[in-house]
Amino acid sequence: ALPIFSVTSGHPLAIKLVLGQMHMHPIDVVLTNLVQVRNSSHDFYNFVYRWAWDSLSSIAKQLFIHIPLLDISGFCRDDLQGISGMSDQNDLEAAIEELLATSLLNVGLKQGNLMYSIHRLTEYFILSDLLGDDLASALS
């Protein structure tokens, strides 16, 4: 755990994202890549988010890019299905599980119901880095 703390400078969100990456990549690969980023001029958070994005399946990507359409303070599974247009329940479940495993989606309970949310930096990544060019093109 000490190398993760050291590479992330102890930032809770960075630690969470690094742990999420360990679901898809061996720890030594994750830490080596992060050390290289920390020692270069790359933006650490953008690198971690981009790496997570590149590792996602197409169905998880489809769901992920639609999440900013929801209230990021909390939304339910039906909301996710509605905004993504996924009619196949297995695909929706697989996408949700993948986003949870990579720490791109949070889950909690509210009045006994499962509620999902994303961090503001995650929303920013989606809107600026993933959709930024498309949004800028649509607005011009």
Side-chain angles (χ1 to χ4, degrees):
L2 186 55
I4 294 172
F5 185 85
S6 175
V7 170
T8 61
S9 299
H11 296 291
L13 179 60
I15 292 170
K16 182 179 174 186
L17 292 169
V18 167
L19 292 175
Q21 287 302 308
M22 291 170 35
H23 285 274
M24 295 180 287
H25 307 284
I27 180 113
D28 58 325
V29 171
V30 173
L31 291 176
T32 299
N33 286 337
L34 291 175
V35 166
Q36 289 173 352
V37 168
R38 295 283 302 207
N39 294 333
S40 72
S41 61
H42 289 16
D43 175 30
F44 179 76
Y45 283 108
N46 187 40
F47 174 80
V48 173
Y49 278 116
R50 179 61 65 180
W51 200 23
W53 168 258
D54 290 343
S55 299
L56 292 176
S57 67
S58 61
I59 60 169
K61 286 179 178 180
Q62 177 185 346
L63 180 60
F64 187 60
I65 63 170
H66 287 91
I67 290 175
L69 296 171
L70 300 170
D71 178 359
I72 67 165
S73 65
F75 42 88
C76 66
R77 187 182 179 285
D78 289 344
D79 296 330
L80 289 169
Q81 184 173 15
I83 56 114
S84 69
M86 289 185 186
S87 57
D88 185 313
Q89 297 299 314
N90 291 330
D91 283 351
L92 180 65
E93 283 302 316
I96 290 171
E97 288 302 317
E98 193 173 343
L99 294 175
L100 288 170
T102 55
S103 300
L104 294 172
L105 185 65
N106 307 318
V107 66
L109 284 175
K110 184 175 183 180
Q111 299 173 345
N113 297 314
L114 279 181
M115 296 296 287
Y116 301 96
S117 65
I118 60 173
H119 192 278
R120 287 267 182 216
L121 285 175
T122 305
E123 178 187 43
Y124 179 80
F125 171 75
I126 296 169
L127 293 174
S128 66
D129 291 62
L130 297 180
L131 302 177
D133 294 337
D134 291 337
L135 288 175
S137 297
L139 294 174
S140 56

